[in-house]
Amino acid sequence: MNRKTLVLPAVIGLLAPALAACGGVDVGGKGGDAIVVGTTDQFVATKDAPAPFDPAFAYDAGAWNVLRQTVQMLMHVPRGGGEPVPDAASKCGFTDTQNESYRCTLRSGLKFADGDALTAEDVKFSVERVLKIKNNNGPVALLSNIDTIETNGDHEIVFHLKTPDATFPYKIATPAAAIVDSDTYEADRLRDGFAADGSGPYTLETETEGDRVVKAVFTKNPEYKGDLKLRNDKIELRSFTDTESMEKALKDGDISMMTRTLQPEQIKDLSENPAEGIDLVEMPGLEIRYLGFDTDDSTVKSKAVRQALAAVVDRGDLASKVYPATAEPLYSLIPNTITGHQNAFFNKYGEPNRPKAAGILKAAGITTPVKLTLNYTTDHYGPATKKEFEVLQEQLNATSLFDVDIEGTEWSKFRDSQKRGEYAVYGMGWFPDFPDADNYVAPFLDKDNFLNSPYVSSEARNKLIPESRRAADRASAAGPFERIQEIVANDVPVLPLWQGKQYVAARDDITGVEWAINSSADLQLWELGRGVS
């Protein structure tokens, strides 16, 4: 059978009956062998990042994709998207009309993988631990609106929030709220190394070389009780240092599927030059890329410099040269498939316009050319990132308004340097914690934000974000989000560049590929199985 390209629409749940009818599934795998999945995500333990898989520290897509297999949350987002549904919980919901008190009842008989009972006190311990440790790199901001937590017996837990937040169910469906055992996790200290355990669908064993994980083996957890249905007994996640070797392993049959990060050239080649027995699958994606700014740095402290950059960056040229058919220009922090999106940057700056940029700089008394260094990570988003920044450098220098250098650094050093404010301008990506406009706004503008940015908009932080969270009907929050996007386009604390699609490639005997990664780039490895001929 020749490789075929499958395209899945955004409303993927509509395909479920037809896809489920496509043959049987051998959940144990052929001969009981693990299904092997390739990734270019790198899992490294360093002095600055000693606990890559600790829920109080982990806050990147790769680490969360390990945690989602091994820990359990009260809620989870169902396979086709939509509102969270109970997992460790049997039911959850707000108990007041203001969305300030959220109650969950646990399933009966929950246990950690080692057989220890899991109770409401463990949930309380786990969430309070993240809040107490408050790691600068971690996901604490997702939980910082929690005021107090109370338990009623072994099975009931109530979260009292500081302010109304209709998005709270999504937040406790992320690994930030992973339930861990106080016997293996200390209340006030990170768990160093690569160990991770809980009550999730799999147990984890890792194989390392030096300070890096090269293989993560997930074995079905017999103690798991939750909403997920496992279609395999064992999955192996293998980390590759480059996409070429990952693709070769797929074609050689050494792995069954490859995920993050396929490069544009690979996608084009797999699409145009069919490989026997391999399917390329396009999926809805919510990834964005952007330039971030340290607004305290003297080179970009003036808003005029950032506005001038926004006025001359050519997103269409960037996407077509570097990411043909896999990315589209983005003119807002909120991608165009999320409710509340508007093209705020295009509305303000229009098409790339050198005279407009020159006028902005002249009016502010800025001497040109403005000398800048654009920093990027060499290994976190794939090798195309270098080309992306070369194109940006070429665009900006061609205006004669800027004198731009570029500098690449590996992710294990890059992220810590960025958080410490060592880069005036830097490129990063964002994979949403959950598919709501709030998660494209608060991580960049709220207190304890993901970027550790010095930029503050009092209107956005103190008025608009809280106002948006009061709306139980998320469509009715569009007004505050539109205003926030206008503020971002005017102040330019970040500069959105493009929004990407997702692709995976898999051997054609692997079933469940269409469900194995959702629009937020969450791996759902329990969906994979082998077809029965």
Side-chain angles (χ1 to χ4, degrees):
M1 172 180 170
N2 285 333
R3 182 217 42 84
K4 54 187 178 296
T5 301
L6 307 176
V7 182
L8 304 183
V11 189
I12 195 168
L14 297 176
L15 294 181
L19 291 166
C22 296
V25 176
D26 175 10
V27 299
K30 294 180 180 178
D33 293 338
I35 295 174
V36 184
V37 175
T39 180
T40 55
D41 284 326
Q42 301 296 305
F43 310 113
V44 184
T46 67
K47 181 180 179 181
D48 290 325
F53 298 151
D54 190 314
F57 178 87
Y59 198 18
D60 66 81
W64 271 20
N65 281 335
V66 171
L67 287 174
R68 288 184 190 278
Q69 322 308 315
T70 54
V71 297
Q72 192 175 19
M73 284 70 74
L74 291 167
M75 308 281 281
H76 80 100
V77 176
R79 52 153 55 169
E83 295 183 359
V85 297
D87 188 20
S90 61
K91 62 180 179 180
C92 288
F94 285 104
T95 61
D96 64 328
T97 58
Q98 299 300 313
N99 296 331
E100 288 185 308
S101 182
Y102 195 77
R103 177 175 297 167
C104 290
T105 302
L106 295 181
R107 295 177 187 267
S108 297
L110 287 175
K111 294 180 180 179
F112 291 106
D114 63 3
D116 287 351
L118 188 160
T119 69
E121 284 296 328
D122 292 301
V123 180
K124 184 174 187 289
F125 166 82
S126 301
V127 173
E128 289 182 342
R129 176 177 181 269
V130 175
L131 293 169
K132 184 174 185 178
I133 292 175
K134 199 177 180 179
N135 185 270
N136 188 46
N137 288 298
V140 64
L142 288 171
L143 306 177
S144 61
N145 192 36
I146 296 172
D147 187 16
T148 60
I149 304 172
E150 65 173 296
T151 59
N152 300 316
D154 288 343
H155 293 91
E156 188 174 270
I157 185 162
V158 183
F159 299 93
H160 299 287
L161 307 182
K162 299 172 185 175
T163 59
D165 186 2
T167 70
F168 187 70
Y170 286 100
K171 293 171 181 175
I172 61 169
T174 71
I179 307 168
V180 299
D181 192 341
S182 60
D183 287 345
T184 52
Y185 289 80
E186 296 183 38
D188 57 359
R189 185 178 181 275
L190 293 174
R191 184 180 183 183
D192 292 354
F194 298 110
D197 50 61
S199 56
Y202 298 97
T203 59
L204 170 69
E205 292 184 5
T206 58
E207 181 179 312
T208 61
E209 290 181 0
D211 59 359
R212 297 175 182 265
V213 171
V214 294
K215 183 189 300 183
V217 179
F218 302 103
T219 303
K220 185 176 181 179
N221 174 16
E223 300 291 354
Y224 172 72
K225 291 185 178 180
D227 189 59
L228 304 176
K229 305 297 186 290
L230 276 67
R231 290 164 172 79
N232 58 72
D233 292 328
K234 185 177 286 189
I235 292 280
E236 179 183 307
L237 185 66
R238 191 177 298 175
S239 180
F240 289 84
T241 56
D242 59 84
T243 56
E244 291 78 15
S245 58
M246 181 169 64
E247 181 181 355
K248 183 178 185 302
L250 179 69
K251 290 180 176 179
D252 290 347
D254 295 330
I255 65 175
S256 298
M257 186 174 87
M258 61 178 185
T259 58
R260 292 163 38 100
T261 305
L262 277 72
Q263 297 306 302
E265 295 82 1
Q266 290 178 301
I267 294 166
K268 184 175 185 291
D269 183 62
L270 286 168
S271 179
E272 296 178 355
N273 302 294
E276 184 70 25
I278 295 175
D279 294 335
L280 178 69
V281 184
E282 177 188 330
M283 299 174 172
L286 295 174
E287 172 193 6
I288 68 170
R289 297 285 178 88
Y290 59 91
L291 293 179
F293 301 96
D294 178 358
T295 54
D296 278 349
D297 190 282
S298 59
T299 58
V300 293
K301 189 169 186 176
S302 171
K303 180 168 62 177
V305 174
R306 307 193 303 270
Q307 289 179 330
L309 287 166
V312 294
V313 165
D314 190 335
R315 297 166 175 82
D317 177 69
L318 181 67
S320 64
K321 285 182 176 177
V322 186
Y323 303 101
T326 66
E328 59 184 35
L330 180 64
Y331 298 93
S332 170
L333 267 179
I334 301 173
N336 61 21
T337 49
I338 294 291
T339 300
H341 163 85
Q342 69 168 351
N343 289 318
F345 275 81
F346 188 85
N347 295 342
K348 183 169 179 63
Y349 302 101
E351 298 288 352
N353 189 324
R354 184 197 180 280
K356 175 178 280 191
I360 292 171
L361 293 170
K362 182 177 180 180
I366 304 294
T367 302
T368 59
V370 179
K371 188 169 181 60
L372 297 173
T373 298
L374 307 187
N375 293 271
Y376 67 94
T377 174
T378 56
D379 58 344
H380 194 61
Y381 304 114
T385 307
K386 180 181 180 182
K387 183 178 179 181
E388 176 180 349
F389 275 75
E390 289 172 345
V391 171
L392 284 171
Q393 179 187 33
E394 181 181 355
Q395 287 182 4
L396 296 174
N397 286 344
T399 68
S400 74
L401 300 174
F402 297 96
D403 179 7
V404 172
D405 291 322
I406 59 174
E407 184 171 341
T409 306
E410 66 181 45
W411 178 253
S412 60
K413 297 178 181 178
F414 176 90
R415 177 64 171 135
D416 295 316
S417 296
Q418 179 270 312
K419 292 279 280 191
R420 287 194 295 264
E422 295 178 12
Y423 303 143
V425 191
Y426 51 88
M428 289 185 66
W430 180 252
F431 298 87
D433 306 322
F434 51 90
D436 186 276
D438 178 87
N439 198 239
Y440 289 92
V441 168
F444 303 96
L445 305 178
D446 213 353
K447 185 180 179 182
D448 298 323
N449 64 75
F450 168 72
L451 296 177
N452 197 30
S453 172
Y455 169 80
V456 176
S457 164
S458 295
E459 182 183 0
R461 179 177 296 181
N462 301 327
K463 179 179 182 290
L464 298 170
I465 291 175
E467 181 182 343
S468 73
R469 289 173 174 168
R470 286 194 287 269
D473 176 4
R474 301 308 293 154
S476 66
F481 287 130
E482 289 175 2
R483 174 58 187 148
I484 289 170
Q485 290 167 92
E486 291 171 355
I487 292 171
V488 172
N490 184 70
D491 294 352
V492 200
V494 292
L495 177 56
L497 296 173
W498 56 266
Q499 174 182 348
K501 301 176 182 179
Q502 292 188 115
Y503 291 85
V504 299
R507 308 294 304 184
D508 61 9
D509 65 331
I510 299 299
T511 61
V513 174
E514 65 275 10
W515 305 116
I517 185 168
N518 66 17
S519 63
S520 297
D522 303 333
L523 275 180
Q524 303 172 137
L525 296 178
W526 50 85
E527 297 285 357
L528 297 176
R530 284 196 173 93
V532 178
S533 57

